[in-house]
Amino acid sequence: LFRSAGEVVEQNPTPNDCVARGSTVTIFVSSGKPKVSVPAVKDFTLDQAVSALTNAGLVADPHEINSTGTPGTVMAQDPPSGQQVVKGSKVRINVSQGPKTALVPDVVGSDFATAAAALKNDGFVVIRQDGSSDQPAESVYAQDPPAGSKAATGSGVTLSVSTGPAVATVPDVTGLDRKSTRLNSSHGY
């Protein structure tokens, strides 16, 4: 049975004992519930943290969070290590479940502005690479990672954006014989 701090829990001699006037009566005053120091459990695995807190007379209160930390590892605790708390108190521990992930949307065939907006809306960083393709200028013709895959939010998605079909300047072949013009076909015309 615990008594509040400052409350008399025992006396000597005991109540109703007869003693000479002026005798000493000793009283014992409660200092409250016993306190313990919170151990440091940051960077422990969940099992290690629960064990350390239990051994200290405390109760682990784990909460899973998304973070860049190793999954299953304690990222933070409250109250902090070293603080004195009443024995049996709860200690909140934030346990990483890894980064938050999302499905990468399919943006191939979209114009760059629309594709970039969709990816940013889902929490991704857009990386643009321009290149020629048979697609119209400013359309996305490839993406990495591919649509439907899971990726960490905040990670990059590379979009290959068309600069339009490759073009070549056609030389003037007026007045040349047919044989001479065939030699130029290696130039893409």
Side-chain angles (χ1 to χ4, degrees):
L1 177 68
F2 289 108
R3 302 280 182 160
S4 299
E7 196 174 323
V8 175
V9 294
E10 186 181 341
Q11 72 183 53
N12 187 17
T14 59
N16 299 318
D17 280 355
C18 292
V19 295
R21 186 175 292 267
S23 297
T24 301
V25 175
T26 305
I27 60 171
F28 298 91
V29 179
S30 174
S31 59
K33 293 183 178 180
K35 293 191 176 189
V36 295
S37 180
V38 177
V41 294
K42 187 174 182 283
D43 297 326
F44 283 27
T45 65
L46 175 60
D47 289 342
Q48 291 169 331
V50 169
S51 178
L53 292 169
T54 301
N55 289 341
L58 300 167
V59 177
D61 182 22
H63 294 263
E64 288 189 340
I65 61 163
N66 291 111
S67 78
T68 57
T70 304
T73 301
V74 175
M75 303 307 299
Q77 68 181 72
D78 185 41
S81 64
Q83 186 168 328
Q84 294 290 312
V85 297
V86 173
K87 188 174 186 176
S89 295
K90 284 186 179 182
V91 176
R92 179 186 171 118
I93 51 175
N94 292 342
V95 182
S96 175
Q97 60 180 7
K100 183 176 180 183
T101 60
L103 288 176
V104 178
D106 185 2
V107 295
V108 172
S110 302
D111 65 272
F112 175 74
T114 303
L119 289 166
K120 287 177 183 175
N121 188 52
D122 287 348
F124 297 107
V125 174
V126 177
I127 302 164
R128 179 179 174 139
Q129 283 186 332
D130 290 338
S132 64
S133 78
D134 60 352
Q135 300 298 310
E138 288 300 303
S139 29
V140 176
Y141 63 89
Q143 71 181 67
D144 184 39
S149 58
K150 276 190 172 185
T153 55
S155 65
V157 175
T158 302
L159 299 181
S160 298
V161 181
S162 178
T163 56
V167 294
T169 304
V170 178
D172 183 6
V173 292
T174 307
L176 296 177
D177 64 32
R178 187 177 174 144
K179 185 176 181 184
S180 297
T181 59
R182 286 193 183 162
L183 295 175
N184 288 328
S185 65
S186 63
H187 295 277
Y189 40 84

